[in-house]
Amino acid sequence: MGITVEKLHAMEILDSRARPTLAVTLVASQGVRAQAGVPAGASTGSREAVERRDGDPTRFSGQGVLEAAAAVNGEIRDALSGRSFDTLSDLDAALLELDGTADKSRLGANAVVGVSMAAARAFASVAGRSLWQSFAGSLEAPRLPVPHFNVVNGGVHAPNELDFQEFMLAPLGAPSAAEAIRAGAEIYAALRKLLLGRGLSAGLGDEGGFAPEITSPEEVLTLLMEAISDAGYQPGRHGVALAMDPASSELYRDGSYRVAGESLTTDEMIERYVEIVERFPVWLLEDGLAESDWDGWEQLTARLGESVELVGDDIFCTNPAIISEAISRKVATASLIKVNQIGTVTEALDAMRVCHEAGYGQFVSHRSGETVDDFIADLAVGTGCGHMKSGAPARGERVAKYNRLIEIEDGADLPYGLKAR
Ligand code: PGA
Ligand code: ZN
């Protein structure tokens, strides 16, 4: 069932980092009102859709989004108001045509994605479905994803000296999403105790994980193993596994990687990962190498692709064309999926489809700057992609997504866990 756009409105609100972002409301004449909050990244890929920021130094250090809001309230509203659309992909196509650029920079990717997400909700409501149900059948059968809890933050997400950006807990062996979330919360609490017991800071980074004064990735992984055991869980792929996102584009300069004071070649980085994977149950590695290091990625994939899910984030930017190229070069084995990185829900679904058809995984993700919008939980469930990350099991904007998983699980009889590969 289609929608007729009656009203469209955007306003400038705050995200979880005290930076401005957009809240978009779409009213359809079928009696439906839908909203969306737009997320924003900090360690962004260079080929991401371009968000529009005012650049006025007298407001929010130039980060204001009044012009993006004005694009929704002016040009986009004028173009869509009174128009009927049969499908979300029709509406998204109208947005792309109106913007006219490859990277959404004219209207602003933040304006475009806010409208697209609100529209996705409106289409679901008009059809009498919840959001996750509206995605059902597009890819795999719906299932509850394994939440990946980012409990230690470094890189550009924290003021500590830890170079790797994210250290995650992945309760692969949990019996349900609710039990996985319980495990994440209990291990988070155990980790806090461990850190404080060692005189380390339990202060938080941008995604709600701890940001201790540790520089060595292996030391963090050792602590996580202890915290898992302390909380009464089994570390490993049948219990609680580990995952990492070094966000290594941020560490790459002049052909080498800066890690804990050392300068490593691509080969040395790959060796480091091989050793880590032998010592610790790391089942997923995201952005292990930089977005420009495609040759390195080919080697990394040949070396570890069978045993570890290798996720491309900065290197792919949720872009179906880039992912297709990666598939043909045997680069990575999965793609991160961030709707705002490509700019419309339809294109994010296209990226997921390209992955699905090639046997590549799809790892649905929040951004480091978030609102309480829980869209990604429904996207992960409805597409049956099997795993999702939304930061720590703490702080309202992170927990909103995990709590939405609990709510979906409570109301529907769906399987939990990674899909069978
Ligand atoms: P970002 O980081 O949202 O700051 O881009 C998240 C990630 O790298 O996965
Ligand atoms: Zn990443």
Side-chain angles (χ1 to χ4, degrees), residues 219-279:
E219 198 178 327
V220 174
L221 294 168
T222 304
L223 267 175
L224 293 188
M225 296 294 282
E226 264 186 76
I228 292 169
S229 299
D230 285 359
Y233 292 90
Q234 200 64 44
R237 290 187 186 215
H238 298 292
V240 180
L242 302 175
M244 291 197 302
D245 177 9
S248 65
S249 298
E250 302 286 337
L251 317 175
Y252 195 56
R253 257 169 221 85
D254 306 323
S256 57
Y257 294 86
R258 309 291 138 100
V259 182
E262 286 178 76
S263 179
L264 304 179
T265 62
T266 296
D267 286 349
E268 287 166 341
M269 277 296 268
I270 293 173
E271 277 320 305
R272 185 85 173 246
Y273 292 133
V274 169
E275 282 164 26
I276 284 177
V277 167
E278 280 168 7
R279 264 181 79 189

Side-chain angles (χ1 to χ4, degrees), residues 147-336:
H148 281 54
F149 301 103
N150 179 12
V151 294
V152 174
N153 294 184
V156 300
H157 291 168
N160 57 5
E161 299 295 315
L162 179 63
D163 293 310
F164 282 15
Q165 181 179 281
E166 302 175 17
F167 293 84
M168 292 171 269
L169 303 167
L172 302 182
S176 65
E179 286 300 311
I181 292 164
R182 176 182 153 209
E186 290 178 355
I187 298 165
Y188 183 78
L191 179 60
R192 184 169 193 278
K193 221 184 246 175
L194 266 180
L195 292 170
L196 292 176
R198 290 179 197 198
L200 293 164
S201 165
L204 304 183
D206 287 359
E207 297 190 352
F210 302 112
E213 306 87 338
I214 299 176
T215 54
S216 145
E218 290 80 1
E219 198 178 327
V220 174
L221 294 168
T222 304
L223 267 175
L224 293 188
M225 296 294 282
E226 264 186 76
I228 292 169
S229 299
D230 285 359
Y233 292 90
Q234 200 64 44
R237 290 187 186 215
H238 298 292
V240 180
L242 302 175
M244 291 197 302
D245 177 9
S248 65
S249 298
E250 302 286 337
L251 317 175
Y252 195 56
R253 257 169 221 85
D254 306 323
S256 57
Y257 294 86
R258 309 291 138 100
V259 182
E262 286 178 76
S263 179
L264 304 179
T265 62
T266 296
D267 286 349
E268 287 166 341
M269 277 296 268
I270 293 173
E271 277 320 305
R272 185 85 173 246
Y273 292 133
V274 169
E275 282 164 26
I276 284 177
V277 167
E278 280 168 7
R279 264 181 79 189
F280 302 98
V282 171
W283 94 275
L284 176 152
L285 174 64
E286 176 184 331
D287 276 2
L289 294 174
E291 61 166 81
S292 56
D293 192 2
W294 278 71
D295 293 341
W297 268 97
E298 284 180 359
Q299 292 172 46
L300 175 69
T301 309
R303 194 75 196 273
L304 280 178
E306 292 287 321
S307 50
V308 178
E309 180 168 275
L310 299 172
V311 181
D313 172 10
D314 289 354
I315 186 172
F316 297 162
C317 295
T318 316
N319 186 313
I322 304 175
I323 297 169
S324 297
E325 188 187 338
I327 290 165
S328 67
R329 285 182 62 172
K330 293 196 170 53
V331 157
T333 62
S335 176
L336 205 68

Side-chain angles (χ1 to χ4, degrees), residues 36-56:
V38 175
S43 63
T44 49
S46 63
R47 292 158 89 179
E48 288 197 20
V50 176
E51 57 180 19
R52 189 158 166 193
R53 300 267 173 197
D54 298 338
D56 171 358

Side-chain angles (χ1 to χ4, degrees), residues 33-206:
R33 180 189 167 87
Q35 286 185 307
V38 175
S43 63
T44 49
S46 63
R47 292 158 89 179
E48 288 197 20
V50 176
E51 57 180 19
R52 189 158 166 193
R53 300 267 173 197
D54 298 338
D56 171 358
T58 66
R59 296 185 74 254
F60 296 109
S61 307
Q63 299 292 323
V65 292
L66 294 179
E67 288 178 9
V72 175
N73 296 334
E75 212 180 321
I76 299 179
R77 182 195 282 165
D78 291 347
L80 300 192
S81 283
R83 272 177 76 181
S84 299
F85 298 94
D86 289 336
T87 63
L88 178 62
S89 109
D90 292 343
L91 188 145
D92 283 343
L95 286 171
L96 295 192
E97 194 189 332
L98 182 67
D99 175 74
T101 65
D103 57 9
K104 283 98 182 163
S105 55
R106 198 182 71 77
L107 294 168
N110 42 353
V112 171
V113 82
V115 174
S116 179
M117 288 165 68
R121 285 203 165 99
F123 276 100
S125 288
V126 167
R129 296 191 183 135
S130 56
L131 185 59
W132 71 265
Q133 287 169 328
S134 74
F135 297 125
S138 52
L139 296 163
E140 293 279 331
R143 61 194 299 118
L144 271 309
V146 176
H148 281 54
F149 301 103
N150 179 12
V151 294
V152 174
N153 294 184
V156 300
H157 291 168
N160 57 5
E161 299 295 315
L162 179 63
D163 293 310
F164 282 15
Q165 181 179 281
E166 302 175 17
F167 293 84
M168 292 171 269
L169 303 167
L172 302 182
S176 65
E179 286 300 311
I181 292 164
R182 176 182 153 209
E186 290 178 355
I187 298 165
Y188 183 78
L191 179 60
R192 184 169 193 278
K193 221 184 246 175
L194 266 180
L195 292 170
L196 292 176
R198 290 179 197 198
L200 293 164
S201 165
L204 304 183
D206 287 359

